C-alpha cells in the first residue's frame, strides 16, 4: 500500500539569522526566523511524512511554546516523524520538494541540499528531489522577506 503526504511551510526572514535550508547552512545576510532553527524545507518535509500516515502535524508534535525545541536542529523533528511513520508500518520511498526563495538563490546549493536530505532519510540520492523557484519579485517572498517550501512524500507499507 502506498501513502502520500503533503507539507507546506513559510518563514519570515530576519537579518543576521543563520540561513539553514534542508539542513545546509547557506551564506546569506538573513535567515528564516523560527523557534527552532527555522528550517522551512525540513518543516514542510516533517508535515509531509506525518500527513502520509495521518499522524498530525509538526505544530502538535513539537509545539513552539515548549522551550525544549528552542533553536533545535530540525533534523531531530525529521527523525521523530520518520520514527512515527515506521511505527505505523510505513517506510519512506521518495520525496519531491519546491523551495520558494527570491534570495538567497538556491540553485547553486540544490545538489548538496538533496544529498543532505537523502542521507538524513537513508534514501538513495535519486529518490530525493529539491527544486528552487523564485517568486518573480511578487509579495513577501519576492521581496526576500520570507521563504516557503512545499514537499510531497511517498511512503510504502513495509510488508
Ligand atoms: Mg516552520
Amino acid at each position: 500500500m502506498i501513502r502520500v503526504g503533503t507539507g507546506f511551510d513559510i518563514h519570515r526572514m530576519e537579518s543576521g539569522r543563520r540561513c539553514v535550508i534542508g539542513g545546509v547552512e547557506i551564506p546569506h545576510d538573513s535567515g528564516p526566523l523560527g523557534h527552532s532553527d527555522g528550517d522551512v524545507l525540513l518543516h514542510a518535509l516533517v508535515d509531509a511524512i506525518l500527513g502520509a500516515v495521518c499522524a498530525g502535524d509538526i505544530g502538535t508534535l513539537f509545539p513552539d511554546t515548549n522551550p525544549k525545541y528552542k533553536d533545535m536542529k530540525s533534523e531531530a523533528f525529521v527523525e521523530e516523524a520518520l520514527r512515527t511513520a515506521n511505527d505505523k508500518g510505513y517506510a519512506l520511498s521518495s520525496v519531491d520538494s519546491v523551495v520558494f526563495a527570491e534570495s538567497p538563490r538556491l540553485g547553486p546549493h540544490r545538489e548538496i541540499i538533496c544529498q543532505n536530505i537523502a542521507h538524513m532519510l537513508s534514501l538513495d540520492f535519486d529518490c530525493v528531489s529539491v527544486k528552487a523557484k523564485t517568486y518573480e519579485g511578487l509579495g513577501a517572498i519576492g521581496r526576500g522577506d520570507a521563504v516557503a517550501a512545499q514537499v510531497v512524500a511517498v511512503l510504502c507499507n513495509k510488508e
Side-chain angles (χ1 to χ4, degrees), residues 9-11 39-40 43:
D9 197 22
I10 184 165
H11 280 241
D39 194 323
V40 72
H43 292 182

Side-chain angles (χ1 to χ4, degrees), residues 94-135:
S94 70
V95 168
D96 187 18
S97 63
V98 190
V99 181
F100 302 94
E102 201 75 18
S103 63
R105 291 295 167 109
L106 294 178
H109 308 283
R110 215 174 55 82
E111 195 167 319
I112 180 105
I113 292 172
C114 275
Q115 280 169 350
N116 192 52
I117 292 175
H119 179 73
M120 197 183 301
L121 299 173
S122 304
L123 286 178
D124 288 340
F125 178 63
D126 68 355
C127 294
V128 176
S129 156
V130 175
K131 304 184 294 294
K133 302 287 280 183
T134 70
Y135 234 60

Side-chain angles (χ1 to χ4, degrees), residues 5-59:
T6 176
F8 175 82
D9 197 22
I10 184 165
H11 280 241
R12 191 184 296 271
M13 292 289 273
E14 188 180 80
S15 172
R17 283 270 302 189
R18 285 172 70 222
C19 186
V20 181
I21 295 178
V24 174
E25 183 159 356
I26 291 161
H28 196 54
D29 57 4
S30 62
L33 183 62
H35 184 67
S36 63
D37 62 6
D39 194 323
V40 72
L41 177 54
L42 295 190
H43 292 182
L45 173 62
V46 167
D47 269 355
I49 295 168
L50 294 176
V53 294
C54 299
D57 62 35
I58 191 168

Side-chain angles (χ1 to χ4, degrees), residues 100-102 134-146:
F100 302 94
E102 201 75 18
T134 70
Y135 234 60
E136 300 283 329
L138 295 167
I141 295 172
R143 286 191 303 272
D145 291 340

